[in-house]
Each structure stands twice: as structure tokens, then as C-alpha cells.
Amino acid sequence: MSQRASLEHSQGELEPLHHPSLSELETLREKMVKFSKQFEGQLVPEWKDAFVDYWQLKKDLKKIHLLNSNNNKNSPTRHQSSPSLSNTLFTSIRKFSPFGHPHREHDLIHVHKKLASSASKEDMYETELLEQFADTDAAKEFFACLDLQLNKVNQFFKTKEKEFVERGESLRKQMDILIELKTAFKKQRGQGAFALNSKEDISMSCSFSSDEDSVKGKTEQEQPQDSTDDLEKNEAAYSEGGELGKSMRTKSEDIGKLRSMSSRSFSFQGKNLKINIPLTNPSRTFSAISYVVWEDLVNQSSRKCGADGGKLHINKTKLHHADKMIRGAFVELYKGLGYLKTYRNLNMLAFIKILKKFDKVTGKQVLPIYLKVVESSYFNSSDKVMNLGDEVEELFIKHFAEEDRRKAMKYLKPTHRKESHSITFFIGLFAGCFIALLTGYVVMAHITGLYRRQPKSVYMETAYPVLSMFSLLFLHFFLYGCNIFAWRKARINYSFIFELSQTKELKYRDVFLICTMSLTTVVGVMCVHLLLLTKGYSYAQVQAIPGLLLLTFLLLLVCPFNIIYQSSRFRLLRVIRNIILSPLYKVVMLDFFMADQLCSQVPMLRNLEYVACYYITGSYKTQDYGYCMRAGHYLDLAYAVSFLPYYWRAMQCARRWFDEGQTSHLVNLGKYVSAMLAAGAKVAYEKERSIGWLCLVVIMSTFATVYQLYWDFVKDWGLLQMNSKNPLLRNELMIRRKFIYYISMGLNLFLRLAWLQTVLHSSFGHVDYRVTGLFLAALEVIRRGLWNFFRLENEHLNNAGKFRAVKTVPLPFHEVDEQD
């Protein structure tokens, strides 16, 4: 049933007007609360400020309700029970008059439509009250807010519609160029249908010119969306940073050539085009460097040869990459159009709901009048979004799905994975098993006295590092599950920020299941290992058990079979690869977020290094656990592992500065350099405990801590804004209780000072120092989990401030003018 038909149907069933009773108003309030929750749960988080402010309208309506209640209490009872003769006669005349009902409607309000200004050309609506309400001032305030919301919705819808239509036009041109290139490639092959996955490397030569002006010019910064697994390498085209001084012009041009290496102009079928190949992996980066060197060598000869002197070879690899980029752009455009349809439908429903509530509270009938205006307004009457959505579907089905609509819908409308109650059941089951096994392990460890201070403890030197490593790893993973739960409750779109596929991303229940299942396995194996030791087995007989446990988890991580969250495991491996080779890979949000997690897991990495050395060198057979501590190369490796995560993160900052040209990335790089120096000073102090090294540790750690705290609060969390309406916070807060932010800032400060244990040498009674180290390392992991929530909250607010709900995928082909 259409909106107009449903409206007419509702009008036909209208009951005679009367003042609502107290029970009716209570029922009405419950319905409004229920709808407001549904409305908030379905709206696009990044566009929340552009939706109808239903909550403000509810507040205005509540004022009207309170005034009506007060008026009813103050009025005499007899006036409520028996109306006057004149009012009864007037009502009867209007009731039987053929013109009574229309006259009653149009006497209530009149909505004026006018232009706001000659510059904006936006249709503006303003409501005039033609009949005196019992609470005229409150009614005027309500309709002023309602008009403001209608004008805001129309303006935002028109802006986004224009943006998506322009993007659709650009994509149509891209498709035409791609089809022409495919056709030419097919003709050159001279055989069969065109196949991008062919093993033959046939190139097509097109004339191109080395356009230095285009290299110097600025290009648009775009960030891609990783919509599907096939689109993971589609990254942003790199833009130049700001203009440098004249003395640095030559250097700036060289960097600019590298940044815009993907942009090469060529002529094809009478068109001057540029093909953009983003430098997102090492091979393209090295290719870009080689191209700059080669261009400098042959620049003169290329100019002499003219347009025919150089040939740009467009092979199947480049066409395949262009095909994926355009496909990803279509997917993102379709997603944006879907969001815009949701925006229209939810706002229309909000207007209907609030007007119904107004009629119910006031006893008037303004819904039919105002709803006609809403229905005829631009956001509800424009059909460009529907037409463009249908066109995108047709193009995608034709060119990317081989005329298979079902295959196309897997990309355009991916189905979300249904959450199963069995996951919740197994979480509870494994959690109970883990608690029982952990209790048994602690009891056995206490009876045997393994964790007490001892001069030489084989167990603490060999098996305990494995348990400590897994404990820190899965504690961090558990906190990530808590982060996901908190992000969902706060309506933070973490999937969009991390560019995760919504069909394959891990839900918080999946994370909790992995944690409980893994910890149950680890503690169970360690219980068996300890039980065998108490039964009299020697360390030489059972020492391979912890090593086999670690090997099992590593094999499971790289298992190629589609079991135990294969897509998530492979994505983790790709992110780790990108981090290790961070200067060579384009840095996205997930990469540097994961690198920040590794900065909090230095103790775990050092344990992993020691355990690997212990088992790889065969020390577990001879029980020579001190070999790895005596070997010089191991000590050098331990020093490297201590600052390696900070080095990776610093290289990511350098790469982001190279890509974007923002000096803030260099300032962030300085933070990690200071952390590297502090970590190196701590390792040196552990090797040689002297006063000189202790002073250096205190100085470097203090400087690094102050640097990190400033960056945490101001840059990563966006807090400590002096002009904010929330003292020492920011204007926009996702959590209503402000004290949580102050407590979190205090906890972050306290946990950042955990390095003081290196100076104070604090311990817990007679407990082994390794247990104390594990406790302090766990505090750092907890601090990182707290940091994660507020980091993504700030990122989400940045996206919401720019109304950025979909990624802008870079397009491969750009047509240029001849004079350029």
C-alpha cells in the first residue's frame, strides 16, 4: 500500500475528536519510546545529525501535553462535562455542512513554501497557525522545529543525491572506456572471447605523453572500501602534500612523481586519458621508483620522439586491476544509494509518527495537512535515487556478473550471517570448563610451590613463558570482543572504519567463543603437563608438550582449509604481512590499529622469541634452558624485538606522510621514536644495572610517557578541548555519562606509568618476578583495550562530522584536456 493510500485509509478511520485520557497518554508515551529506539537502531550512524531530530520533537510535544494537562486541571468541571449551547450548535452546523470538514482542516495550519535566498535556491517551508491552540506558543515552537527538520532533510537529501548522481555519471564513463579497451584488447588477440584470467600476457600499445604539469598538480585524495575479498588491494590514489618553498621545489617534484606514479597520460581512440594504478604493494612501489629513474634518463629522447616516441603497454593485469576498481566503485555507489533510500523511508515514517502523536495529544487533525506537504517535498518526490539504483543493478549484472542476477546481488546486497544461539551455548560451556581447569591448575601450582621465588626453577624458565604468552594474547582478544560489544551499543560503525566485510567479520560472540575455547585448551594442556610432573615424570619426558601446543596453534593459524574462521585468519595474516613490510604497503586504518596493539604486546613477543629459541635449538631435550640467555645473537634479537613494534608503527607514519603529505604524521612518528629509545634503554638496563642506565631509563621513559599521554588524549581520543561545552572533553560524546571519560583518562595515565616498576622493582610478597611481570603486562593490555574504544569513537565522530558513510573508491581512468 502506498503512503498516499495508507494516509487516506487512516483518514477514513478517524474517530471523533476528544481530549485523551491519562491512560491513553501513557500508552502513547510508551509507543513513542518504542519507535524512537527502532528509529535510532535503523538510521545510518554517520548521518545521524542529518535525520529528523525525533527526540527534540518529542520534547516539544511533551511541553504541549503538560500545558494541556494544566489547562484541564484549572478549568471548571462543568465546562468539561457539558459544553455550551452555542458551541454545540456551531459544531452541529459544521458537522452537517458539506463544506464543514474541509473548512475545519484548512483553518488549522497553512504551510508556506518559499525560497531561502537567491544563492541557495532551496525550497524552504514555514508553517502558519490559522487557529488558536490551547497552547499557542508551544504549538508554534513545535511547528518551527518541524519545519526546520523538513528543510534540513530536503537539503541533505538533495546534496547527497547530487553527489551520487555525479558519481554514477563518472562510473558510466569509466565503464565505456573499460569496454573499449577490452574490445581493442580482444581484437589484438584475434581469438576467442576476452578473458582477464588468461595466462597469456598480451599487451596493447597506446601512445602517451610524459606530462610533468600533471605530475606537479594535486590529485584528489580518496580512500577505498574493501567491499569484498576480491577488492582488498584497491587502495587510494595518492595525493601530493602541500606546496613547499622554492628551494625545495626539485625535491617536491621528485616526491610528487612517486606519489602520482599511478597517473600516466595516454591517447586512446582520440581521447587523452590517464590511468591510475595505486601503489599499494611492494612491487608497484619498486616499479614507481624504477619509473622515476628511467623517466629522468630518457626524458629528453621522449620529448624528441613526440607522441609516437613512447608506448604505454596496457596488459591484462592492468585491465584486470581497472576492472576490480570499477566494480568496487559500483558496489560502494549501490551501498550509498541504499543508505539514501533508508534515509528517505525512516524520515518519512518519523514525520508520520510525530504528527500522529501531535493529533493525539492536542485533539486536532493536522496530519493530513502537513503530510501532504511532506509527501510533495523533494526528498520524498524525487525518483533519481530509484532510477540510478536500477541502472547500477543492470550495469553490474551485465558487466560483472555474466547476466546472473543472483551472483550480482551477492556483491551488491550481501546477506548477513545469522547469529546462532549455539554459539552462546558453547561460550558458556567453554567458559565453565576454563574456570574449572584454571582453578585446578592454580591449586596444583600452589601445592607444588612453582610460583614462589626460587634460585632455579625449570618450570618457570621453560613452561611458564608459554602460558604467559597465551594468557596475554587471549586477554587482548577478549578485550577486543568487549570493544566490539561496546561499539555496537554506542552505535559506532567499526566495520566501516576497519573496512571489514559485513558478511565475514567477527561478531563479539565469535570472539568470545574463540577466547573461551582456546583458553580451555591451553589451560587443559598445561594442567596435564603439570599433572605429569607431579606424577614423577621428568622434564625431558614432558617438556615437548608446551611446544606442541604452540605449534598446533601456529598450524591452525595458517591452515588453508575452510575451517575455524578461515577468512578472518587469512585477513590477520595479511595485516601482519603489511605491518612487517609497512614502508612498502599502503597503510589503512586496520593496519596501524593492529600495529598499535603489537606495541602493547612486547612482553608476549619476547616470550614468543624465547620459546621459539628454546624449542628450535633443541634445548628442551638437554634441559639447557640458559642457552638462549647466554647466546649473544639471542640477546641482540631480544633488543630488536623490544622496539620492533614501535619501528613498524614509525614506518607506517612515514608512509602516511609520504602518501598524504601531512606533517602531523611526522609528529606521530616522533612519538614512536621516543618509545623505541625508552624500550632500548630498558633492555640495556636489564643487561647492566648501573646508575647511569637507570637515569637514562627514567629520562627517556618520562619523556615518552608525556608524549604518549598528549597524543592519546588530544589526537587519538580528541579530548582536552578547551572551548568544549564539556569541560576538558569534546563537544560530541557517544557516552552520556561524562564521568566515564574522566575515569578513563585517569586510568590511562595510571597504566601508562607501569614502567616505574622497572625502577622500583616492586613484587608481590614471595611470588616469582615473572608473575609480577605478567601482571604488569596484563595492565598494559587492559589499557590498550580501553584506548581502543575511545580511539574508534573519535574516528566515528570524524566520519559523522563529514557525513561519510561509504568509501570513495579511486577510479582508474581520468580524461584530461589537451592543454593539460
Side-chain angles (χ1 to χ4, degrees), residues 399-651:
H399 298 289
F400 300 107
E402 301 174 351
E403 303 291 346
D404 188 347
R405 180 178 178 81
R406 181 176 297 179
K407 180 180 178 181
M409 289 300 107
K410 290 181 180 179
Y411 290 93
L412 298 177
K413 289 183 180 180
T415 55
H416 295 271
R417 181 165 50 90
K418 295 182 179 180
E419 296 184 1
S420 174
H421 292 292
S422 60
I423 295 180
T424 306
F425 168 77
F426 282 111
I427 290 174
L429 176 64
F430 285 118
C433 294
F434 165 69
I435 294 174
L437 290 171
L438 181 62
T439 303
Y441 177 82
V442 170
V443 170
M444 286 191 294
H446 178 71
I447 293 175
T448 55
L450 292 176
Y451 288 164
R452 298 196 186 105
R453 287 186 181 179
Q454 300 177 10
K456 291 183 179 180
S457 176
V458 179
Y459 185 86
M460 296 302 293
E461 294 286 351
T462 57
Y464 182 76
V466 177
L467 178 62
S468 174
M469 179 182 58
F470 280 116
S471 300
L472 292 175
L473 175 64
F474 290 110
L475 172 63
H476 207 143
F477 207 52
F478 171 77
L479 292 174
Y480 176 68
C482 296
N483 286 146
I484 294 177
F485 178 81
W487 290 330
R488 290 187 61 180
K489 287 295 182 181
R491 297 285 294 162
I492 296 175
N493 195 354
Y494 68 95
S495 300
F496 171 70
I497 295 173
F498 288 146
E499 303 179 20
L500 300 175
S501 174
Q502 296 183 357
T503 59
K504 299 180 180 179
E505 65 170 335
L506 289 177
K507 310 293 184 183
Y508 69 91
R509 288 189 178 89
D510 299 318
V511 176
F512 290 154
L513 177 62
I514 294 173
C515 287
T516 54
M517 183 172 57
S518 301
L519 286 174
T520 300
T521 304
V522 170
V523 177
V525 172
M526 297 306 294
C527 279
V528 172
H529 176 258
L530 185 57
L531 185 62
L532 291 176
L533 289 176
T534 57
K535 292 293 184 181
Y537 288 86
S538 65
Y539 279 99
Q541 293 175 305
V542 300
Q543 205 60 9
I545 293 178
L548 291 175
L549 176 65
L550 177 60
L551 181 62
T552 301
F553 273 91
L554 291 176
L555 292 177
L556 185 61
L557 179 63
V558 299
C559 177
F561 303 109
N562 189 15
I563 56 173
I564 311 180
Y565 304 103
Q566 181 199 44
S567 60
S568 298
R569 289 188 288 107
F570 283 6
R571 187 171 185 83
L572 175 62
L573 292 174
R574 284 192 294 269
V575 171
I576 294 175
R577 176 204 63 189
N578 295 350
I579 293 173
I580 295 174
L581 303 175
S582 54
L584 303 177
Y585 278 93
K586 172 74 169 91
V587 182
V588 294
M589 178 68 185
L590 186 59
D591 292 343
F592 67 78
F593 180 84
M594 184 64 186
D596 280 326
Q597 312 308 304
L598 292 179
C599 290
S600 296
Q601 287 286 9
V602 172
M604 185 202 72
L605 295 177
R606 295 190 65 178
N607 284 333
L608 177 61
E609 174 208 16
Y610 173 79
V611 171
C613 174
Y614 178 72
Y615 284 101
I616 292 175
T617 58
S619 300
Y620 71 98
K621 297 179 181 178
T622 61
Q623 295 305 304
D624 185 12
Y625 57 84
Y627 170 78
C628 292
M629 302 299 295
R630 296 191 305 268
H633 59 275
Y634 169 81
L635 296 178
D636 295 336
L637 186 60
Y639 180 83
V641 168
S642 297
F643 69 83
L644 200 55
Y646 302 107
Y647 167 78
W648 289 332
R649 192 65 186 89
M651 290 299 100

Side-chain angles (χ1 to χ4, degrees), residues 24 28 93 111 183 197 241 257 275 324 413 450 477 534 536 575 579 592 621 624 647 666 674 677 683 687 692 787 810:
E24 290 177 335
L28 177 63
I93 294 174
V111 183
T183 304
N197 58 353
K257 288 180 180 179
I275 180 169
K324 290 198 297 182
K413 289 183 180 180
L450 292 176
F477 207 52
T534 57
V575 171
I579 293 173
F592 67 78
K621 297 179 181 178
D624 185 12
Y647 167 78
L666 294 180
S674 66
L677 295 177
V683 174
K687 293 170 60 178
W787 178 90

Side-chain angles (χ1 to χ4, degrees), residues 301-366:
S301 60
S302 296
R303 289 178 178 177
K304 293 180 180 179
C305 294
D308 297 331
K311 295 293 180 181
L312 176 64
H313 296 279
I314 304 178
N315 53 24
K316 65 177 180 63
T317 303
K318 293 178 181 177
L319 283 179
H320 181 56
H321 181 72
D323 184 90
K324 290 198 297 182
M325 292 175 70
I326 295 175
R327 180 176 59 187
F330 269 113
V331 171
E332 289 304 308
L333 175 60
Y334 192 82
K335 184 187 299 183
L337 294 173
Y339 287 160
L340 204 54
K341 293 177 185 176
T342 302
Y343 178 81
R344 173 167 57 191
N345 295 334
L346 283 180
N347 282 318
M348 191 66 194
L349 186 59
F351 279 118
I352 295 175
K353 288 288 184 179
I354 201 65
L355 288 171
K356 282 185 177 179
K357 310 312 178 193
F358 181 86
D359 288 359
K360 193 76 172 178
V361 168
T362 61
K364 306 289 184 179
Q365 286 195 21
V366 298

Side-chain angles (χ1 to χ4, degrees), residues 620-743:
Y620 71 98
K621 297 179 181 178
T622 61
Q623 295 305 304
D624 185 12
Y625 57 84
Y627 170 78
C628 292
M629 302 299 295
R630 296 191 305 268
H633 59 275
Y634 169 81
L635 296 178
D636 295 336
L637 186 60
Y639 180 83
V641 168
S642 297
F643 69 83
L644 200 55
Y646 302 107
Y647 167 78
W648 289 332
R649 192 65 186 89
M651 290 299 100
Q652 288 181 335
C653 293
R655 176 59 189 260
R656 294 189 71 190
W657 169 79
F658 175 80
D659 293 340
E660 303 172 11
Q662 298 179 5
T663 55
S664 60
H665 296 308
L666 294 180
V667 180
N668 196 16
L669 184 147
K671 181 186 71 171
Y672 294 103
V673 171
S674 66
M676 280 193 290
L677 295 177
K682 291 177 186 177
V683 174
Y685 175 68
E686 291 175 0
K687 293 170 60 178
E688 182 182 349
R689 293 182 179 272
S690 62
I691 299 297
W693 283 113
L694 178 61
C695 293
L696 186 61
V697 167
V698 173
I699 294 173
M700 294 305 304
S701 298
T702 302
F703 176 75
T705 300
V706 174
Y707 205 154
Q708 291 165 353
L709 286 173
Y710 167 78
W711 202 268
D712 286 344
F713 295 150
V714 178
K715 298 296 183 180
D716 290 336
W717 293 6
L719 303 178
L720 296 181
Q721 296 181 8
M722 298 305 166
N723 298 326
S724 172
K725 62 183 180 181
N726 303 308
L728 297 181
L729 301 179
R730 63 173 107 85
N731 290 328
E732 298 294 332
L733 300 175
M734 302 294 293
I735 303 177
R736 295 180 180 178
R737 297 177 178 87
K738 299 178 185 179
F739 71 88
I740 294 179
Y741 291 91
Y742 297 112
I743 293 176

Side-chain angles (χ1 to χ4, degrees), residues 243-254:
E243 296 180 358
L244 300 178
K246 293 183 179 179
S247 60
M248 300 294 293
R249 182 170 298 174
T250 303
K251 184 177 180 179
S252 176
E253 291 176 4
D254 293 338

Side-chain angles (χ1 to χ4, degrees), residues 291-311:
Y291 176 81
V292 170
V293 175
W294 179 255
E295 185 187 35
D296 291 338
L297 292 175
V298 300
N299 194 29
Q300 285 298 115
S301 60
S302 296
R303 289 178 178 177
K304 293 180 180 179
C305 294
D308 297 331
K311 295 293 180 181

Side-chain angles (χ1 to χ4, degrees), residues 173-224:
K173 295 178 181 178
Q174 295 285 315
M175 277 303 308
D176 293 339
I177 296 172
L178 182 63
I179 293 171
E180 290 179 3
L181 288 174
K182 285 183 177 182
T183 304
F185 197 91
K186 175 183 175 182
K187 290 180 180 178
Q188 186 167 350
R189 288 182 60 181
Q191 55 180 351
F194 180 78
L196 289 176
N197 58 353
S198 173
K199 296 182 179 180
E200 302 178 17
D201 190 9
I202 300 177
S203 301
M204 175 179 58
S205 297
C206 302
S207 62
F208 76 99
S209 59
S210 177
D211 194 349
E212 295 183 1
D213 292 336
S214 64
V215 172
K216 297 177 185 177
K218 294 182 180 179
T219 56
E220 182 182 3
Q221 284 185 0
E222 295 176 328
Q223 183 180 3

